[in-house]
Amino acid sequence: MPQKNKLISIVISAYNEQDNVAELHKQLDATVKKCKGVDFEYIFVDDGSKDKTYENCLKLQKSDDKVKIVQLKRNFGHEIAMTAGMDYAKGDAVIFMDADLQHPPLYIPQMVELWQKGKEIVLTKRLDNADTSKLYKWCAKTFYWVLNLLSDMPIMESAPDFRLLDRKYVDFLKGFNEQDRLFRGLLSWIMPQDNVEIIGFKAPERFSGESKYNFIKSLRLAVNSIVQFSVMPLRIATGLGVVAAIMALLMGVYVFFEHFFLHNPTPGYATIMVTVVFLGAVQLICLGIIGEYIGKIHMEVKKRPLYVADYVEKKPKKEEK
Ligand code: UDP
Ligand code: MG
């Protein structure tokens, strides 16, 4: 009996990508033909798009049974969109990619070949992103530096969400139930020491449309990532408190000395104001840090479902008798 081909699921998260999905599908179809001994399914996750992304995916499905659609009922964000796609993926391995063609399908045969040779995780590293400014690159570099400084786990820089995971690791990832998730971080958490390959690629510009990440969204993601993977900011808050207390004590000693021995006390108003403002700022910073963690606990303890979705699949035609 001929052996059944293994199945590879390609999970594509798409939010307002109406002009990209058809081109991506075309390029995917041209590329996957080069992979021998495997079958493919394409899981387009429509992350609550407001444009015609969903309708355009449905059109693709009409002519291609490999196209499956996970339609999220509102915009849940990129990380949750990838999670939803992963939940519905049936493959022996899953490839994650963006819908805007910044993750070129031409690297898929190489990823699949590495997997067929036994690599369980194939990551990619962006060598140069034509679409990003110098300032953005600098911010990203600083963010990873801070994240790695604070976090117990190394989190790879310039590692986009373009990767292949063996079923084993997909199942590990499905074990994480947290609402707020950063795939890169979760992956570092489960990453084996060996059996991982990294391939470099040049990310082209978006095929069409605009990036969904503005400065505020990226900053929010950065703060979330730090809070998710480290309690170090809480320790820093304690440290700030200790430093402020020591400074207050030293100042107290100085004022005492000045009053009783030098008989020349400094007029109080300026020092009081500086002290009050300084301590107020330290307290507010610490409260803010604590607030970030309490906010996370508040969201996580509810254990709400991660998303609400419909799964649209073209039923295979029944064989005629
Ligand atoms: N995306 C998504 N949900 C969102 C935001 C983005 O599914 O809420 C998708 C988006 O359609 C794209 C991928 O995530 O396929 C990466 O987003 P984008 O290209 O805007 O990010 P960038 O490449 O600029 O970092
Ligand atoms: Mg992009």
Side-chain angles (χ1 to χ4, degrees), residues 13-15 17 47 75 77-78 98-100 102 206 211-213:
S13 25
Y15 177 51
E17 305 284 7
D47 188 11
N75 179 240
H78 186 201
D98 289 356
D100 57 3
Q102 287 198 291
R206 261 182 163 270
S211 171
K212 311 299 175 306
Y213 287 94

Side-chain angles (χ1 to χ4, degrees), residues 226-270:
I226 291 172
V227 175
Q228 278 174 57
F229 288 99
S230 167
V231 288
M232 191 74 95
L234 286 174
R235 294 199 188 118
I236 293 175
T238 314
L240 276 177
V242 172
V243 170
I246 292 172
M247 280 167 72
L249 197 76
L250 290 177
M251 222 162 105
V253 171
Y254 176 70
V255 169
F256 182 85
F257 184 78
E258 219 181 16
H259 187 81
F260 287 103
F261 295 98
L262 299 181
H263 304 292
N264 179 28
T266 322
Y269 177 74

Side-chain angles (χ1 to χ4, degrees), residues 191-196:
M191 190 79 79
Q193 298 297 318
D194 51 10
N195 250 354
V196 180

Side-chain angles (χ1 to χ4, degrees), residues 3-7 36-39 92:
Q3 242 193 334
K4 224 179 132 204
N5 279 350
K6 295 229 171 174
L7 179 69
K36 301 277 170 271
V38 278
D39 293 329
D92 300 289

